[in-house]
Amino acid sequence: MISRFQNYLLLALFIFVVSCTEKKQQPFSFVQLCDTQLGFDADGYEQDVKKFKQAVKQINELNPDFVVICGDLVNRPNDSSFSDFKEIMGGFTMPCYLTPGNHDIANTPDSTSLSYYRETIGKDYFEFEHKGYSFIVTNSQLWKANVEDESGKHDRWFKETLKNQGLKKQPVVVVGHYPLYTKTPEEEEAYFNFSLEKRQELLALFQQNNVRAYLSGHTHQLTINQYDNIQLVSGETTSRNFDQRPFGFRLWLATPDTLTQGFVPLQAELAQ
């Protein structure tokens, strides 16, 4: 009887372990949404509101596991614009993770702008795991500008978090607002990228810690680069695209071995 019970116990344990492994390796999808930036559309604030609402509607119909928004939630941060943003975001039927952009916390953040964002929106950098992937959501403004106390604290947190996630041998996706570069890894620093020193530091850290992709916004045009095996993607927006591409978002599909993405345009009636 004891032997039979032990066999049942071992069988149950085996099924549990296999089940957990299978769940960990399940493919999943998520959406990268860039620069909702309420108030930036040349045709007026209400157009940005309508397009963001349309994006929420279409994303809910696609039913991905979650959404990440790569900064510039609003054009001018205040109680009214942030309230509108949160109300529309509340329509998602899945989790939505946010990273701040320069329009949300200023080109050079300070204690006032950071506190306002944190109190009104939430954490400006954090990490989470999902089905065998690690996601690290950063405050890239603290890489772009040297903010006393805050930039150093963010750097230490990022390096420690990235190292810990890398040790788990899981694929890592990093999310920010600023792209590392727009055309070449050696290009000079400008408004749409990081300094060469910071860029080289981050790319080396990415290579050492199994980073598969870096998702960003800010450029208001489609910017896709490949560095080693790392995808660097700044997608289309729902506010204004400088390259005249359609409004929309990027849908990502993740498996244990692959990470792919494609464009989903907003429906025509609200995309103009």
Side-chain angles (χ1 to χ4, degrees), residues 33 49-64 67 88-89 91-94 249 264 266-267 269-270:
L33 190 57
V49 168
K50 288 180 180 179
K51 287 179 288 184
F52 187 17
K53 287 181 177 178
Q54 178 65 17
V56 171
K57 177 183 177 182
Q58 289 182 225
I59 291 168
N60 284 343
E61 292 171 352
L62 290 171
N63 195 33
V67 178
I88 300 168
M89 185 190 73
F92 281 122
T93 56
M94 68 287 299
F249 50 87
V264 179
L266 293 189
Q267 291 179 4
E269 63 265 26
L270 286 180

Side-chain angles (χ1 to χ4, degrees), residues 162-181:
L162 186 59
K163 180 180 179 181
N164 289 339
Q165 296 299 340
L167 290 173
K168 295 179 182 179
K169 305 301 182 182
Q170 294 185 154
V172 177
V173 176
V174 179
V175 183
H177 179 61
Y178 272 76
L180 274 66
Y181 60 88

Side-chain angles (χ1 to χ4, degrees), residues 71-77 82 99-119 121-125 138-145 147 150 154 177-178:
D72 280 358
L73 315 179
V74 300
N75 195 48
R76 295 181 179 178
F82 272 153
T99 184
N102 56 304
H103 279 269
D104 303 313
I105 57 175
N107 288 328
T108 302
D110 56 25
S111 58
T112 300
S113 64
L114 288 168
S115 294
Y116 181 60
Y117 180 91
R118 291 164 180 168
E119 292 169 3
I121 299 298
K123 292 182 179 179
D124 53 319
Y125 52 94
T138 68
N139 182 343
S140 61
Q141 209 61 36
L142 298 177
W143 284 331
K144 180 65 174 176
V147 182
E150 293 285 354
H154 177 263
H177 179 61
Y178 272 76

Side-chain angles (χ1 to χ4, degrees), residues 56-248:
V56 171
K57 177 183 177 182
Q58 289 182 225
I59 291 168
N60 284 343
E61 292 171 352
L62 290 171
N63 195 33
D65 286 38
F66 60 87
V67 178
V68 294
I69 302 183
C70 297
D72 280 358
L73 315 179
V74 300
N75 195 48
R76 295 181 179 178
N78 53 52
D79 290 350
S80 177
S81 62
F82 272 153
S83 177
D84 288 342
F85 173 85
K86 291 194 294 182
E87 182 179 357
I88 300 168
M89 185 190 73
F92 281 122
T93 56
M94 68 287 299
C96 181
Y97 302 100
L98 310 176
T99 184
N102 56 304
H103 279 269
D104 303 313
I105 57 175
N107 288 328
T108 302
D110 56 25
S111 58
T112 300
S113 64
L114 288 168
S115 294
Y116 181 60
Y117 180 91
R118 291 164 180 168
E119 292 169 3
T120 309
I121 299 298
K123 292 182 179 179
D124 53 319
Y125 52 94
F126 54 93
E127 55 87 20
F128 66 95
E129 296 184 23
H130 189 78
K131 294 183 178 179
Y133 270 72
S134 299
F135 289 82
I136 305 178
V137 180
T138 68
N139 182 343
S140 61
Q141 209 61 36
L142 298 177
W143 284 331
K144 180 65 174 176
N146 186 15
V147 182
E148 187 176 1
D149 296 329
E150 293 285 354
S151 289
K153 181 180 178 182
H154 177 263
D155 253 351
R156 290 189 293 273
W157 167 84
F158 178 73
K159 291 174 182 177
E160 181 180 353
T161 301
L162 186 59
K163 180 180 179 181
N164 289 339
Q165 296 299 340
L167 290 173
K168 295 179 182 179
K169 305 301 182 182
Q170 294 185 154
V172 177
V173 176
V174 179
V175 183
H177 179 61
Y178 272 76
L180 274 66
Y181 60 88
T182 58
K183 293 182 179 179
T184 69
E186 298 80 20
E187 68 192 21
E188 295 184 359
E189 181 181 6
Y191 179 71
F192 288 118
N193 62 17
F194 290 123
S195 69
L196 182 60
E197 181 181 5
K198 176 57 68 174
R199 186 187 316 151
Q200 290 174 336
E201 177 189 6
L202 290 172
L203 287 171
L205 287 169
F206 288 2
Q207 288 178 305
Q208 295 162 12
N209 293 282
N210 202 27
V211 172
R212 297 279 187 87
Y214 175 70
L215 281 54
S216 57
H218 189 57
T219 59
H220 288 266
Q221 62 184 17
L222 179 61
T223 305
I224 299 180
N225 290 296
Q226 186 89 9
Y227 186 86
D228 200 359
N229 293 319
I230 306 166
Q231 299 183 65
L232 310 170
V233 180
S234 292
E236 299 84 351
T237 77
T238 60
S239 54
R240 190 191 302 183
N241 291 327
F242 298 149
D243 57 2
Q244 307 307 311
R245 282 187 58 79
F247 299 112

